[in-house]
Amino acid sequence: MYLANTGRPDAPPRPARARRRVPATVVALGAVSLVTDVSSEMVTAVLPLYLVLGLGLSPLQFGFLDGMFNGATALVRLLGGRLADRGGHHKRVAGAGYLLSALSRLGLLLAGGATAGIAASLAADRLGKGVRTAPRDALISLSGPPETLGRAFGVHRAMDTTGALLGPLAAFAVLWATADAYDAVFAVSFCTGLLGVLLLVLYVPSAAAAPAPPARSAPLHRGALRDPAFRRILYAASLLGAATIGDSFLYLLIQRGLDLPPALFPLLPLGAATGYLLLAVPAGRIADRVGRRLPFLAGHLALLGAYAVLLFPVAWPTVAAVLALLGVFYAFTDGVLMALAGPVLHAHRRAGGLAVLQTGQALARLLGAAGFGAAWTFWGQGPALWTAALALAGALAAGWRILPDPAPAPARDAPEAP
């Protein structure tokens, strides 16, 4: 495992052939994420139908449950990052998160129709997802030299997205084979989730070689925030996140513009996910070549393009353009941001720092989505979209100034002075 941070966090790759290979840890974590996403997306695909049509929950009740637990996920990431950095137990904490999510499918199976049992199962799933995210990304960032992290995160995100695409297909295949037996979906999802945990245990090495934190060092999250370069990345990501209105609103604008039948609405995310899958690895390679700052901003520029396209009358070419631009947005921002921030953080603060970054971005996006929803309600969809586009353009200009230049940086994995 490569633990020494040599060179710049935003430097172009070195020509050594060995460093062009994706580390085995990244491939193993990608396989774990692929299998786990098949498991989770099987449930996600059928849960609205199961709760609203099967159990009779109102859309308001379902929206409250889903929104509350999704918001809590962002905050739980801080706990996962802090636990992982204490003693370098990244694999152990990530494994606990994967296991908790797998057990939540069993909870849905055993809940029967009880609302309390379903709520507890959803909470366990979101808790597991929140706990595992930062330690998993820290393992990826510690698995290879900093100059190849863009490709490493691209490979992982591509495998992760593959699972997200396969999950709904597997769910509907199970429903078709069992005559709409939702319990069968939960049972298959549970077994698939356990397979992901087993892959993690068998094939993902731990980060035990990472240096332990100094005895008198500052608290992990506060230490990351003391770093000027990391603060600038956090500020830029949060500012851009606050100008992101959320995919669901974009899909809703498409649906209203085309008067799309509700049955076809769930297919829209698959288009964006396909673009993300195809572009994740090339985007990572580009980020390794030119630095991560410019691709990260270019991804948000693609999102601004999606906003601009929707300002015109919606037609089928509009749909294709928006979905393609969303795929570009995710490919050039999700893993690229982690590759940009990872080398800036000391190894023993890597998971905690990434958790802070992910939480800040997620909470900012929640505020952005809520703000756009309020603007749409009071002003109408046209003025709200114009406002979102102008806000994102301003955030891009500010992000260009805030994000650190790809300048040389000191090694970040050496022990700090007490």
Side-chain angles (χ1 to χ4, degrees):
M1 182 179 297
Y2 295 87
L3 291 173
N5 183 346
T6 57
R8 307 180 327 201
D10 219 319
R14 298 180 182 179
R17 179 174 299 179
R19 292 187 176 180
R20 295 176 185 170
R21 299 176 181 175
V22 176
T25 298
V26 175
V27 176
L29 284 169
V32 172
S33 293
L34 189 156
V35 172
T36 302
D37 258 28
V38 170
S39 171
S40 62
E41 293 302 323
M42 286 181 68
V43 173
T44 301
V46 303
L47 200 59
L49 298 176
Y50 174 66
L51 295 180
V52 177
L53 299 182
L55 300 183
L57 266 68
S58 69
L60 178 61
Q61 289 173 315
F62 172 70
F64 175 76
L65 286 174
D66 190 60
M68 180 178 65
F69 294 132
N70 275 323
T73 301
L75 298 176
V76 174
R77 290 176 183 174
L78 297 174
L79 174 64
R82 188 176 183 86
L83 292 175
D85 280 334
R86 286 188 171 182
H89 299 307
H90 302 80
K91 176 182 175 179
R92 190 175 302 175
V93 175
Y98 281 111
L99 180 60
L100 187 57
S101 291
L103 293 176
S104 72
R105 324 287 190 241
L106 183 61
L108 286 172
L109 187 63
L110 299 177
T115 304
I118 293 171
S121 299
L122 290 176
D125 177 50
R126 300 304 192 268
L127 181 63
K129 183 176 181 179
V131 165
R132 72 178 182 250
T133 301
R136 179 203 65 200
D137 284 349
L139 280 171
I140 295 173
S141 71
L142 291 168
S143 66
E147 59 266 26
T148 64
L149 288 184
R151 184 184 179 194
F153 275 102
V155 168
H156 175 268
R157 295 312 197 250
M159 297 178 73
D160 183 89
T161 307
T162 300
L165 288 172
L166 293 176
L169 299 177
F172 286 112
V174 172
L175 287 177
W176 177 80
T178 60
D180 294 339
Y182 291 102
D183 286 352
V185 175
F186 300 150
V188 173
S189 174
F190 168 64
C191 295
T192 308
L194 286 184
L195 175 60
V197 176
L198 182 62
L199 290 174
L200 178 79
V201 172
L202 294 179
Y203 296 107
V204 176
S206 66
R216 290 187 290 168
S217 63
L220 297 176
H221 300 327
R222 192 175 68 185
L225 292 173
R226 284 180 172 178
D227 187 289
F230 177 76
R231 285 203 308 270
R232 291 166 70 181
I233 295 172
L234 175 62
Y235 296 157
S238 299
L239 183 62
L240 289 164
T244 303
I245 66 176
D247 299 353
S248 297
F249 283 117
L250 298 181
Y251 300 145
L252 189 57
L253 289 169
I254 290 174
Q255 192 274 334
R256 292 198 169 191
L258 284 179
D259 196 19
L260 197 67
L264 297 180
F265 186 81
L267 298 179
L268 293 177
L270 296 181
T274 301
Y276 183 16
L277 169 63
L278 296 175
L279 293 173
V281 176
R285 289 177 174 173
I286 292 172
D288 286 339
R289 286 177 177 268
V290 305
R292 287 89 194 226
R293 175 175 176 260
L294 185 59
F296 180 69
L297 293 172
H300 285 87
L301 185 62
L303 181 63
L304 179 60
Y307 293 179
V309 169
L310 286 172
L311 290 170
F312 295 93
V314 178
W316 283 109
T318 305
V319 178
V322 170
L323 296 182
L325 289 168
L326 276 178
V328 173
F329 165 64
Y330 282 111
F332 280 86
T333 56
D334 187 12
V336 172
L337 177 61
M338 296 298 101
L340 172 64
V344 172
L345 297 161
H346 289 271
H348 63 262
R349 288 180 177 158
R350 190 71 52 89
L354 293 181
V356 170
L357 179 59
Q358 292 164 353
T359 301
Q361 185 185 50
L363 293 178
R365 286 180 173 177
L366 284 176
L367 291 176
F372 181 78
W376 188 342
T377 301
F378 292 109
W379 301 338
Q381 67 182 47
L385 191 55
W386 269 109
T387 302
L390 292 174
L392 182 55
L396 271 168
W400 178 266
R401 298 292 301 271
I402 295 173
L403 278 175
D405 292 324
R412 297 284 179 177
D413 292 338
E416 296 177 305

